[in-house]
Amino acid sequence: MRTLAALAIAGTATLAGPRVGISETAGPAVTQFTLANGLDILVIPDLRTPVVTHMIWYRVGSADEESGKSGLAHFLEHLMFKGTAKNPPGRFSETLARLGGQENAFTTQDYTAYFQRVARDRLDTVMAFEADRMTGLVLTDANVSSERDVVLEERRTRTDNDPGAQLGEAAQAALFVNHPYGRPVIGWEHEIRALNREQALAFYRRFYAPNNAVVVVAGDVSSEEVRALAEKTYGRIERRPNLHPRARPSEPEPRTHRRVVLADPRVQQPALSRTYLAPSYRTAKPGEAEALDLLSHVLGSGSISRLYRTLVVEKGIAANAGAWYSGMALDAGRFGVHASPRPGTSLEQLEAAVDTVIAEVAANGITEAELARAKTRLVADVVYAQDSQATLARMYAAGLVTGLSLDQIRTWPDRIRAVSAESVRNAAITWLDLRRAVTGHLIKTPAATERRS
Amino acid sequence: MIRPLAFAAMTLALVSATPNDARATKIERIVTAAGIEVWHVRDHTLPMISVEFAFTGGAAQDPADKPGTANLVAGLLDEGAGELDARAFHERIEERAVVLAFGAQRDALRGSLKTLSEHRDQAFDLLRLALTAPRFDGAEVERVKAGVLAGLRRRSTNPGDIAGERWFARAFPGHPYGKPIQGTLDSVPHITADDLRAFHRRVIARSNLKLATVGAIEAKDLAVLVDRAFGALPATPDLAAIQEIAPQGIGEREVIELDVPQTVITFGGPGLKRVDPDFIPAYVLNHILGGGTFSSRLYKEVREKRGLAYSIYSHLVPYQHAGLFLGGVSTRNDRAAETLSIIVEEIRRIASEGPTADELAQAKSYLIGSYALRFDTSSKIAGQLLDIQLENLGIDYINRRNALIEAVSAEDVRRAAARFLADSKLLVMLVGRPHKAVPAGSGG
């Protein structure tokens, strides 16, 4: 954005749906329709407040950039706040501020999204502004240049000032040897410096179109109201013919365990991270991604998880430990494990202990009690998610733009309930294979070799 | 059981931009049999209950030589209680998908509980155990301390954390506000289970409890559960008196060398406390200067016009015993001095000239219109109701708040500015390698 560069939709219950057996609620009655120009629209009812959340999600992210122009999708997201032929710079934000609305935007590898939260009777205003900037963007060399400096500052804040973030960037690059997911969303510094107005506009004209976007409206509005407003605003924009299909270079079958090490004098607390190449909800066989979600929960969510209990509680060699699964992706997903050693434990010892925990799950599986607890938590998180219209809007839209159907999103809790302990074990055997992984070590530079500057 | 008293029903008018769109939600004020006051919003839309609560007296109550005590207490309340050891406690939590969290702030120890309606009895029972019978078992204390120490080691080289910590240390020497809430690498190893028990006894009581709930439960049922969870706590805490204090070191700049490409700057000075009659005008003033939209003066001057930073902000921090004005920015090392001088100039300008009529109107319009956005989830509503109680603003505050903003005049804003920005002097911490030497004591 203006905010999140690399929004990792990590964690578990990122997919939510309404059919929640354990609750009395029927969940939100989400409706979906498509305008004649190809724009997909989702309406999520929330009758509790007079506020609406309006979001537009473009089906374009950093993985759709040309090689050599990393950061362009995110840079364009910043530039989308620079005004249009009809609305000069600042007018959208100032109008929104006067209405008491809030706004922001974010870019990931697979999508770029813009949102506003505003009183429901102002929905027409924000839809008109948002539709206007789908095609009307005007950029000058001056505002492109100062915004590029802003993005470079953003990169310094997020990455260059933080050794842990630099290691994460290197691990991601090592994990993907062919797919553009290996590039940082915010871009490599030297490539950000070379981005310009013409490139941004070309990217904009190529990807920003009604038939390449999803609009989500959550709040106290009917789908009829939304349809009427959408026809008046977005509906006037012409479909872009010949949209490029989103075919990214795919990964070869991985065969090597890779290691990345970052040594920096600033590291006072070493850390271990491991990332495995895994399927995503879109690419997985039925039930596989659900099993990975449950596996990440049993292995590394909270203080009774396998990793935490073994490394932190029983062995006392780690200060913390956990696991995550990032399955909301158009292409490959990722499964991660991390731990921080206590003083006196080396990263090698810690890594061996992590591998023992994973090997134990692969050899003997998980217990029925562990499975039941994990299912209860993931399904309950769907109920809790319904408390926030903004969260719901985000979950449904993220599902749609990463290739899932509304029905797949809705039935997620049922599919989680259907996973067996054996499937979880199989997921561990199949995917938590070192040949699919990158292991990262964050360490302090040994005193003798410390860089002087 | 509810004593049939103060069943004051207030209206939570979620004001939107147009009056005819305002929805009304009723806040019920319940006083339980044990005498505990709860502000409750009944909402059966979802089968869940959100609870937000706080005990006044947070990290400021840490023993002077043991900063980090409150933070550790918060970390250990759910690590074993009553008959349940840590693992058994967490298994109960997980089996019912309860969300229970505690955290230490400077002036309060806060907690939140979220549960599905069907597990509400068990959830409140677990809360009771955590509050009334935490075990502070030796192994768990060591384990939680190890986690805190790992965090402190990470913070010790993070420029933003260093800047913030140094700012508070310089502004409040010898005062509890000068100590880091998480404690220090020196203090945390020395905190014992007995220290945690002592803190627990002194701070967690009924008379300093504030409590707000939202969700699918009737007042009379809620009152029973509240008494079950909180009723057995001691009637009153034993809090140390905290001295009123104004931040020190104003006008000073300190550079803390760190080999990073971007300098992180924390700046601030005296602000106004929440009880101050000029707090609302000061709040409007800060919004114009550096508040949270893309149209503040600092945002426009530092980011939009010059591309000097990704994030630039200022805010008022009204502690119980000190009012603060604080801001932050991160910028490349060789432009840190320039960035800081722009910030100082903007503060000087708004203090001497005040806002334009247009800026004032725009700010009020935003602050009034966006108030409803704070009330769109159960947890946020409960959190707002808790904050209003902690700040003693009264149960009708939600109805009065927008009128208070609307009434702010240009004259009010100028008066507020004169009270805390008049000489535009700041205490500034710069962490990084700001290339151009920054002269000390030059009003900045």
Side-chain angles (χ1 to χ4, degrees):
Chain A
M1 129 106 239
R2 285 185 170 210
T3 61
L4 328 178
L7 168 104
I9 296 233
T12 46
T14 50
L15 273 172
R19 255 191 264 150
V20 183
I22 54 167
S23 74
E24 302 88 293
T25 178
V30 179
T31 51
Q32 181 181 12
F33 54 90
T34 305
L35 299 188
N37 60 12
L39 180 71
D40 286 320
I41 299 185
L42 279 182
V43 182
I44 303 173
D46 174 15
L47 312 182
R48 301 171 304 167
T49 109
V51 173
V52 292
T53 300
H54 168 257
M55 309 183 93
I56 185 160
W57 293 57
Y58 289 99
R59 292 183 163 103
V60 58
S62 62
D64 301 297
E65 294 157 352
E66 262 172 66
S67 164
K69 293 178 185 166
S70 65
L72 188 53
H74 170 257
F75 186 40
L76 174 60
E77 176 226 304
H78 277 241
L79 296 174
M80 287 289 284
F81 291 80
K82 297 299 185 188
T84 66
K86 196 171 143 199
N87 292 299
R91 185 185 282 172
F92 188 1
S93 290
E94 273 167 29
T95 303
L96 199 60
R98 197 170 304 115
L99 301 178
Q102 293 171 349
E103 63 177 327
N104 224 319
F106 49 90
T107 306
T108 74
Q109 295 167 327
D110 289 326
Y111 49 81
T112 311
Y114 304 80
F115 70 90
Q116 300 84 28
R117 305 193 359 85
V118 71
R120 67 178 296 277
D121 56 344
R122 302 302 189 174
L123 180 59
D124 54 348
T125 306
V126 298
M127 284 174 87
F129 272 109
E130 196 63 88
D132 171 52
R133 73 172 166 180
M134 185 185 283
T135 55
L137 183 64
V138 173
L139 297 177
T140 65
D141 285 332
N143 59 24
V144 166
S145 161
S146 71
E147 199 61 32
R148 192 170 48 227
D149 286 344
V150 170
V151 172
L152 287 166
E153 291 299 341
E154 181 179 359
R155 192 186 148 84
R156 287 185 192 105
T157 298
R158 292 185 188 285
T159 311
D160 304 331
N161 254 24
D162 178 0
Q166 288 165 38
L167 179 66
E169 197 171 74
Q172 181 85 355
L175 185 68
F176 292 96
V177 300
N178 196 41
H179 190 287
Y181 282 172
R183 291 195 299 251
V185 172
I186 197 164
W188 299 113
E189 182 182 337
H190 64 287
E191 293 186 352
I192 297 172
R193 287 186 185 284
L195 297 176
N196 62 38
R197 173 178 169 275
E198 289 69 31
Q199 292 166 352
L201 286 172
F203 195 79
Y204 171 68
R205 284 191 290 259
R206 179 171 168 195
F207 289 109
Y208 281 50
N211 46 328
N212 200 36
V214 177
V215 164
V216 193
V217 178
D220 188 2
V221 285
S222 69
S223 61
E224 291 74 26
E225 287 172 272
V226 173
R227 185 192 286 272
L229 290 173
E231 293 286 4
K232 272 194 342 201
T233 51
Y234 296 110
R236 297 187 175 173
I237 303 167
E238 281 190 29
R239 163 192 291 270
R240 171 92 21 97
N242 310 321
L243 266 188
H244 293 266
R246 304 181 79 185
R248 290 89 167 255
S250 58
E251 279 296 300
E253 187 60 20
R255 298 205 179 110
T256 55
H257 178 203
R258 286 135 285 168
R259 290 188 174 278
V260 289
V261 178
L262 190 137
D264 188 291
R266 279 176 289 153
V267 175
Q268 296 296 325
Q269 173 59 53
L272 167 73
S273 61
R274 161 89 54 75
T275 315
Y276 299 88
L277 192 66
S280 67
Y281 270 90
R282 193 184 76 83
T283 65
K285 295 194 196 101
E288 223 169 31
E290 291 81 357
L292 283 165
D293 254 332
L294 287 162
L295 176 62
S296 81
H297 198 86
V298 171
L299 202 54
S301 176
S303 68
I304 56 174
S305 67
R306 290 284 181 107
L307 282 168
Y308 190 95
R309 214 169 67 216
T310 309
L311 305 182
V312 182
V313 179
E314 289 164 13
K315 292 186 191 291
I317 59 174
N320 51 54
W324 51 271
Y325 169 56
S326 176
M328 297 283 273
L330 200 58
D331 299 316
R334 291 172 300 144
F335 191 102
V337 169
H338 59 88
S340 300
R342 292 199 207 178
T345 299
S346 70
L347 287 183
E348 289 71 23
Q349 290 168 314
L350 190 63
E351 190 178 328
V354 164
D355 284 329
T356 304
V357 172
I358 291 171
E360 162 64 23
V361 171
N364 299 317
I366 62 170
T367 66
E368 287 299 329
E370 285 175 315
L371 182 67
R373 277 198 301 264
K375 287 181 179 179
T376 300
R377 173 62 72 183
L378 294 193
V379 173
D381 282 347
V382 175
V383 180
Y384 295 144
Q386 290 174 38
D387 188 31
S388 165
Q389 59 169 244
T391 304
L392 279 183
R394 218 168 144 131
M395 289 193 289
Y396 276 91
L400 276 197
V401 299
T402 56
L404 305 182
S405 70
L406 190 55
D407 199 51
Q408 282 174 304
I409 300 168
R410 273 196 195 119
T411 55
W412 184 76
D414 295 338
R415 297 201 312 279
I416 285 291
R417 282 197 207 91
V419 173
S420 68
E422 191 53 27
S423 304
V424 175
R425 179 177 166 227
N426 286 336
I429 293 170
T430 308
W431 303 113
L432 304 193
D433 176 338
L434 273 180
R435 289 171 300 183
R436 311 186 61 82
V438 174
T439 302
H441 284 196
L442 181 68
I443 57 173
K444 185 174 174 62
T445 314
T449 62
E450 195 162 310
R451 183 166 60 92
R452 305 285 169 200
S453 55
Chain B
M1 288 273 296
I2 321 180
R3 268 188 289 171
L5 48 85
F7 221 113
M10 294 307 303
T11 301
L12 176 68
L14 295 177
V15 186
S16 73
T18 52
N20 62 5
D21 203 21
R23 308 296 156 92
T25 302
K26 207 167 69 173
I27 307 172
E28 296 172 67
R29 178 209 246 145
I30 304 162
V31 177
T32 69
I36 296 168
E37 179 173 333
V38 193
W39 293 8
H40 178 53
V41 173
R42 191 164 55 89
D43 178 357
H44 284 275
T45 316
L46 291 169
M48 58 178 283
I49 301 166
S50 293
V51 184
E52 296 284 329
F53 57 93
F55 300 94
T56 57
Q61 293 293 323
D62 285 349
D65 57 339
K66 289 181 175 170
T69 302
N71 183 53
L72 276 178
V73 168
L76 276 147
L77 288 176
D78 65 349
E79 293 293 346
E83 296 299 305
L84 304 175
D85 65 15
R87 182 172 173 179
F89 192 92
H90 283 290
E91 282 175 355
R92 302 285 171 98
I93 292 262
E94 286 299 315
E95 279 155 14
R96 295 174 176 83
V98 171
V99 180
L100 176 62
F102 297 96
Q105 300 178 331
R106 293 205 182 273
D107 292 320
L109 193 74
R110 278 182 88 128
S112 69
L113 174 75
K114 201 155 68 169
T115 180
L116 301 173
S117 304
E118 61 184 318
H119 298 314
R120 70 189 200 192
D121 288 0
Q122 295 93 334
F124 276 84
D125 272 341
L126 288 165
L127 176 58
R128 169 181 59 82
L129 282 176
L131 290 173
T132 58
R135 288 159 59 134
F136 300 117
D137 287 337
E140 315 309 340
V141 172
E142 288 313 306
R143 171 167 61 83
V144 172
K145 279 162 69 171
V148 170
L149 287 166
L152 288 171
R153 283 191 290 273
R154 265 192 299 273
R155 292 171 63 89
S156 72
T157 52
N158 176 297
D161 291 326
I162 296 171
E165 238 161 68
R166 292 286 303 162
W167 197 95
F168 277 90
R170 178 63 193 98
F172 300 114
H175 189 277
Y177 289 166
K179 307 268 174 61
I181 293 173
Q182 295 83 353
T184 66
L185 288 166
D186 294 326
S187 75
V188 170
H190 296 111
I191 299 172
T192 65
D194 282 342
D195 292 324
L196 304 181
R197 289 190 187 100
F199 185 97
H200 174 257
R201 266 196 310 276
R202 284 201 300 119
V203 174
I204 297 187
R206 276 178 286 151
S207 70
N208 62 328
L209 166 68
K210 307 287 180 191
L211 179 58
T213 57
V214 176
I217 186 167
E218 301 299 315
K220 63 177 174 23
D221 300 326
L222 178 67
V224 172
L225 291 178
V226 163
D227 276 354
R228 204 191 288 174
F230 299 94
L233 291 174
T236 53
D238 177 18
L239 300 178
I242 308 295
Q243 214 188 338
E244 300 298 304
I245 185 168
Q248 316 288 299
I250 305 307
E252 294 178 15
R253 292 177 182 184
E254 189 180 324
V255 175
I256 298 120
E257 281 282 327
L258 193 72
D259 186 11
V260 286
Q262 190 182 53
T263 299
V264 178
I265 303 174
T266 294
F267 59 88
L272 299 180
K273 289 201 281 187
R274 190 61 188 84
V275 294
D276 195 294
D278 280 336
F279 181 84
I280 291 279
Y283 181 73
V284 174
L285 168 70
N286 178 70
H287 180 81
I288 296 165
L289 175 67
T293 63
F294 297 149
S295 23
S296 79
R297 286 189 180 189
L298 291 179
Y299 184 92
K300 281 182 178 161
E301 294 298 322
V302 172
R303 173 169 161 157
E304 202 70 26
K305 278 192 196 162
R306 297 180 179 84
L308 285 170
Y310 172 62
S311 156
I312 166 90
Y313 67 90
S314 67
H315 56 176
L316 292 175
V317 182
Y319 289 134
Q320 203 74 43
H321 306 284
L324 291 182
F325 162 73
L326 268 182
V329 67
S330 303
T331 186
R332 53 195 262 196
N333 282 330
D334 62 349
R335 298 187 77 177
E338 176 190 354
T339 303
L340 188 53
S341 66
I342 292 165
I343 292 168
V344 171
E345 169 57 20
E346 286 307 316
I347 292 173
R348 190 205 57 75
R349 198 163 66 88
I350 204 164
S352 63
E353 299 166 11
T356 66
D358 204 42
E359 281 177 316
L360 180 59
Q362 168 103 359
K364 286 159 65 172
S365 177
Y366 171 79
L367 293 171
I368 290 169
S370 64
Y371 193 47
L373 299 180
R374 299 187 192 179
F375 296 89
D376 67 335
T377 75
S378 303
S379 302
K380 281 164 75 178
I381 294 170
Q384 286 292 317
L385 297 185
L386 178 60
D387 287 342
I388 290 168
Q389 292 181 71
L390 286 168
E391 288 165 349
N392 279 318
L393 300 173
I395 199 165
D396 62 343
Y397 179 74
I398 293 170
N399 291 341
R400 294 188 289 115
R401 186 266 190 191
N402 277 351
L404 296 174
I405 301 279
E406 186 55 54
V408 171
S409 67
E411 179 47 38
D412 294 333
V413 172
R414 270 191 289 275
R415 186 180 65 248
R419 294 196 43 207
F420 72 102
L421 295 178
D423 55 7
S424 62
K425 282 200 172 166
L426 303 166
L427 169 60
V428 182
M429 295 293 164
L430 301 99
V431 182
R433 295 236 158 126
H435 285 179
K436 286 181 188 150
V438 182
S442 58

